[in-house]
Amino acid sequence: MSKIALVLEGGALRGIYTAGVLDVFLEENISADCVIGVSAGALNAMSYITKQKGRSAQVNLQFHNNPRYIGAKAIKSNKGIIGFDYLFGEISHSLLPFDFDAFHNSSQRFIAVATNCVTGKGEFFENGKVDNIFACIQASASMPLASDMVLIHHTPYLDGAVSTSIPIDWALKNGFDKIIVVLTRDKNYTKKEVPKSLKRVYRAKYKNYPRLVKKIFTMPRRYNRIKKKIESLALQQKIFVIRPSQEVTVSRLEKDTKKLENLYELGIQDTRNCFPLLQNYLNS
């Protein structure tokens, strides 16, 4: 029997596309042996693993304009624009309850990727093998400049996308026969170089973390390179890729509810459209 890995790109609120993809997977009983999530991909993986269809989308659709989740109150309580205390606290315990027992007892492997701010390298934190997987998920989704660093065993971490935007190489090296990659950008997207003005901001903010700064500056080149590799692997049918069939205009911290709803629906529709091809890939 094939071992299936599911690789989930981040993209902050653009991750609502992935929520649509995973909801179709839950409908169709597509169960990966291992889920590797980066940033919003790690957050989306949570409800997929607990089989809580619709939950990931509802979190962002209901709360994206709530300042405790994204905004001023989040900054006050989290020193960053995302209210992880609210997300993992009141939202997950009472407003849109998360099935913590199902998550911890799942037979599926789950890995969140975060960037070590000291070394600049990506690290892979696996559920059941770390003290606090939710701190690792928070680190994975903590965007530079917009979020505070997250300490894990006294070491600071930030967004996994800084070092490992799409962890396809990890899946390839770890013996998976079938690899499904969910992207949050369309096929024509190319990441642009970091502007000089923003480079000055990064250097000032992270002056004590030169390797992190270097990784931030090289992100565009590495992202575009891994994208080309993904295209090649998909053509060889070594992996299966699901990505937006239209240009994505949703911003990382999108305020327009309708745009988010449309991107979620696009994720559902794109997955349904390619589902026969996905079945052929998994059964080949």
Side-chain angles (χ1 to χ4, degrees):
M1 184 177 291
S2 297
K3 288 176 61 181
I4 303 171
L6 179 57
V7 178
L8 306 177
E9 184 182 13
L13 287 180
R14 286 190 293 270
I16 201 165
Y17 176 85
T18 304
V21 175
L22 297 183
D23 281 350
V24 177
F25 280 18
L26 290 174
E27 285 179 8
E28 301 292 344
N29 294 313
I30 300 295
S31 181
D33 298 283
C34 181
V35 187
I36 312 105
V38 178
S39 195
L43 292 169
N44 275 310
M46 292 169 58
S47 295
Y48 168 70
I49 288 170
T50 59
K51 297 178 170 54
Q52 290 178 275
K53 179 176 172 286
R55 183 183 177 275
S56 286
Q58 285 306 307
V59 167
N60 287 320
L61 290 173
Q62 288 187 31
F63 299 104
H64 70 282
N65 281 321
N66 185 320
R68 290 183 65 190
Y69 181 41
I70 302 175
K73 290 184 178 179
I75 293 171
K76 185 176 181 180
S77 61
N78 288 259
K79 298 180 182 178
I81 202 164
I82 306 295
F84 291 104
D85 61 335
Y86 187 48
L87 173 61
F88 293 134
E90 190 173 345
I91 291 177
S92 292
H93 285 277
S94 60
L95 300 176
L96 282 174
F98 177 69
D99 192 338
F100 288 93
D101 288 338
F103 181 74
H104 288 301
N105 295 324
S106 175
S107 61
Q108 290 176 290
R109 293 177 66 189
F110 166 65
I111 295 167
V113 186
T115 300
N116 184 313
C117 296
V118 178
T119 66
K121 295 180 179 180
E123 295 186 15
F124 296 76
F125 297 96
E126 184 166 352
N127 188 26
K129 295 184 178 180
V130 292
D131 295 334
N132 184 354
I133 189 63
F134 298 104
C136 301
I137 295 170
Q138 178 177 339
S140 180
S142 292
M143 298 178 288
L145 301 182
S147 302
D148 202 22
M149 293 177 176
V150 178
L151 290 178
I152 301 173
H153 297 304
H154 308 292
T155 299
Y157 289 83
L158 278 174
D159 194 340
V162 171
S163 59
T164 318
S165 55
I166 309 166
I168 186 73
D169 289 334
W170 186 93
L172 290 167
K173 291 175 182 176
N174 280 272
F176 292 96
D177 308 295
K178 302 295 181 180
I179 301 172
I180 305 169
V181 182
V182 182
L183 305 178
T184 54
R185 290 289 197 178
D186 65 279
K187 191 172 184 177
N188 296 321
Y189 175 75
T190 301
K191 191 175 284 292
K192 297 178 180 178
E193 292 293 325
V194 180
K196 289 183 179 180
S197 57
L198 194 53
K199 283 184 176 181
R200 288 194 290 269
V201 176
Y202 281 123
R203 286 193 185 100
K205 173 72 173 177
Y206 302 118
K207 61 184 179 181
N208 295 325
Y209 302 95
R211 292 177 179 173
L212 173 68
V213 172
K214 183 178 180 180
K215 277 294 173 71
I216 291 171
F217 290 174
T218 60
M219 269 182 72
R221 267 170 282 162
R222 289 183 289 106
Y223 181 89
N224 295 333
R225 190 161 58 237
I226 198 68
K227 182 188 167 189
K228 287 183 179 179
K229 182 172 183 176
I230 286 170
E231 299 299 330
S232 175
L233 290 168
L235 285 173
Q236 298 171 61
Q237 297 187 328
K238 292 183 177 179
I239 66 173
F240 191 92
V241 179
I242 301 175
R243 64 176 148 224
S245 57
Q246 304 170 14
E247 181 182 359
V248 177
T249 60
V250 167
S251 67
R252 290 193 301 175
L253 301 174
E254 184 62 58
K255 292 296 184 183
D256 188 327
T257 304
K258 188 62 179 175
K259 288 177 71 173
L260 290 171
E261 289 174 343
N262 289 342
L263 187 56
Y264 172 61
E265 291 298 329
L266 183 65
I268 292 173
Q269 194 59 52
D270 284 348
T271 308
R272 287 178 177 161
N273 288 343
C274 74
F275 198 75
L277 294 174
L278 174 61
Q279 285 182 308
N280 287 340
Y281 169 75
L282 294 176
N283 294 326
S284 63

